[in-house]
Amino acid sequence: MSEKIILSGLFPQEICEKLSLKQAFRAKQIYQWIYKGTSSFEQMKNLDKETKAVLEEKAQIYSSTISKTLRDPDGTIKLQITLNDGRAIETVLLTDKEGRKTACVSCQAGCAMKCAFCQTGQLGLGRNLSAGEIVEEFMYMEKEAGTLDNIVFMGMGEPMQNLDAIRKAVAVLTDKNGRALSSRRITLSTSGIISGIYDLADNGPKMRLAISLTTADPDLRMELMPVTKGNPLPELKKAISYYAQKTGQRVTLEAALLSGKNTGEESAARMIEFAKGLDVYINLIPWNPVPGLDFKTPDYKECERFVSILEKNRINVNLRKKRGTKIGGACGQLGRSAVEKNEIS
């Protein structure tokens, strides 16, 4: 592991202090170059030789490296990123029909939530990512795909278990002197950790919130999502209502549709009842196959029947199209915990 100071995820004042720079404005220049996508100190044209020498000796911009870039014919891109301790994460670019580009970033190497239908949940938790590592994911994808419109914390890991690092990463990416990403372009997706929802509502940062609900049947949700044990559905509903009222933001409910499991009339009725009284929008995602998991993807008719029931009850609902499945980049398919030495180029 490198002993050099990693600059990603640091504000100008932090850069100045860590490098013991004599002129504070130099730190601001370095910071601005980083968020222009500069990848070497030599490219920082307005720095003097003394500052560049300090940077070369003591610092590096990123701590991680891209080990592999995968492209799906539908335009989805997946980056396999190696962290400085050999752990691995994956980051995905999604492009919608209007051409908007979204980086789906990870917040942990692995995940402790153990959702039965998710590839990442089979890995267990390696560790939390630092704010800098999260920032690097976004910057790497922007270099690969051009200017990004949105960032979603829907990759590997449970964001509510690493909220401090996410707060710092968001502060850096939205800083007007840096990347200046709009906070309206940021979404956090949680499996339903109630304490985190209240924390985010009360302490920010303000962003869009998505809840991986999957089912509003408490017994089935306990089977599919063990997080339910300490975060029961009635209390989760109260937390969602609080978040919407506190922030003025509509919350998205997400459901991975599993054929024969959560796509019947009773499942629809329970979801309608859960959504009643909430300012929510429902995203339905036909399950994306994961090797070794014994679930089935519902066909179009099964999905449409479920959608029709929700729409008849005036629920705002969207059936998502599959993207990135050919490169294992679709929702629930991310899952690398380590990179072998011979894989790193």
Side-chain angles (χ1 to χ4, degrees), residues 31-32 53 68 79 83 107 155 167 182 217 288:
Y31 180 75
Q32 291 172 333
K68 204 168 195 178
L79 301 181
L83 307 178
C107 63
R167 283 188 167 113
S182 170
D217 178 329
N288 296 298

Side-chain angles (χ1 to χ4, degrees), residues 275-322:
K276 190 179 294 183
L278 295 176
D279 185 13
V280 293
Y281 181 88
I282 298 180
N283 256 338
L284 301 176
I285 308 161
W287 182 67
N288 296 298
V290 173
L293 298 187
D294 191 24
F295 295 105
K296 292 182 179 179
T297 303
D299 61 24
Y300 182 75
K301 287 184 179 179
E302 189 174 357
C303 293
E304 279 297 302
R305 282 196 298 269
F306 194 81
V307 169
S308 177
I309 296 171
L310 297 185
E311 288 181 335
K312 285 178 182 177
N313 284 270
R314 299 182 180 181
I315 300 293
N316 292 310
V317 59
N318 174 54
L319 181 62
R320 289 248 303 267
K321 290 184 178 180
K322 289 188 176 186

Side-chain angles (χ1 to χ4, degrees), residues 46-288:
N46 57 353
L47 296 184
D48 62 312
K49 289 183 179 180
E50 182 181 349
T51 303
K52 284 184 180 180
V54 171
L55 288 171
E56 292 290 353
E57 178 189 356
K58 296 183 178 182
Q60 61 189 67
I61 298 174
Y62 300 138
S63 64
S64 62
T65 57
I66 299 174
S67 55
K68 204 168 195 178
T69 300
L70 302 171
R71 295 177 182 274
D72 191 291
D74 67 14
T76 303
I77 299 172
K78 181 167 78 170
L79 301 181
Q80 295 181 336
I81 297 172
T82 305
L83 307 178
N84 63 4
D85 60 359
R87 296 186 186 276
I89 56 171
E90 296 184 328
T91 303
V92 176
L93 173 85
L94 301 172
T95 305
D96 65 18
K97 59 185 178 181
E98 282 81 30
R100 290 185 293 257
K101 299 174 183 177
T102 298
C104 179
V105 303
S106 298
C107 63
Q108 295 178 318
C111 184
M113 295 297 98
K114 300 185 185 302
C115 296
F117 49 85
C118 178
Q119 170 75 25
T120 315
Q122 313 312 305
L123 299 176
L125 177 63
R127 66 169 173 84
N128 285 335
L129 301 188
S130 68
E133 288 168 332
I134 294 170
V135 168
E136 288 169 25
E137 292 181 72
F138 183 89
M139 297 305 295
Y140 279 143
M141 190 59 81
E142 196 150 69
K143 288 180 183 181
E144 188 67 36
T147 302
L148 301 178
D149 301 292
N150 307 290
I151 181 172
V152 294
F153 292 96
M154 295 183 184
M156 298 171 65
E158 167 52 61
M160 294 306 187
Q161 292 188 331
N162 195 18
L163 200 48
D164 286 345
I166 287 174
R167 283 188 167 113
K168 176 70 180 296
V170 167
V172 169
L173 290 172
T174 57
D175 181 21
K176 64 180 181 179
N177 294 312
R179 175 55 185 78
L181 183 70
S182 170
S183 61
R184 293 177 298 175
R185 304 285 190 174
I186 303 172
T187 301
L188 181 150
S189 177
T190 174
S191 60
I193 296 182
I194 292 167
S195 59
I197 296 171
Y198 282 112
D199 186 351
L200 195 62
D202 289 337
N203 303 306
K206 189 174 182 179
M207 63 176 75
R208 298 184 184 278
L209 178 66
I211 309 294
S212 181
L213 183 66
T214 298
T215 178
D217 178 329
D219 293 332
L220 179 58
R221 194 169 194 269
M222 185 79 75
E223 174 190 332
L224 297 173
M225 302 180 69
V227 68
T228 308
K229 183 176 182 180
N231 298 273
L233 285 168
E235 296 305 313
L236 177 59
K237 182 170 181 176
K238 290 178 185 177
I240 292 169
S241 178
Y242 181 85
Y243 187 90
Q245 291 176 17
K246 182 85 174 185
T247 66
Q249 297 268 14
R250 173 180 286 183
V251 175
T252 299
L253 302 181
E254 300 167 316
L257 296 181
L258 308 164
S259 183
K261 276 279 190 183
N262 64 344
T263 56
E265 291 185 13
E266 184 179 347
S267 289
R270 286 180 179 272
M271 189 168 288
I272 291 164
E273 183 62 29
F274 185 86
K276 190 179 294 183
L278 295 176
D279 185 13
V280 293
Y281 181 88
I282 298 180
N283 256 338
L284 301 176
I285 308 161
W287 182 67
N288 296 298

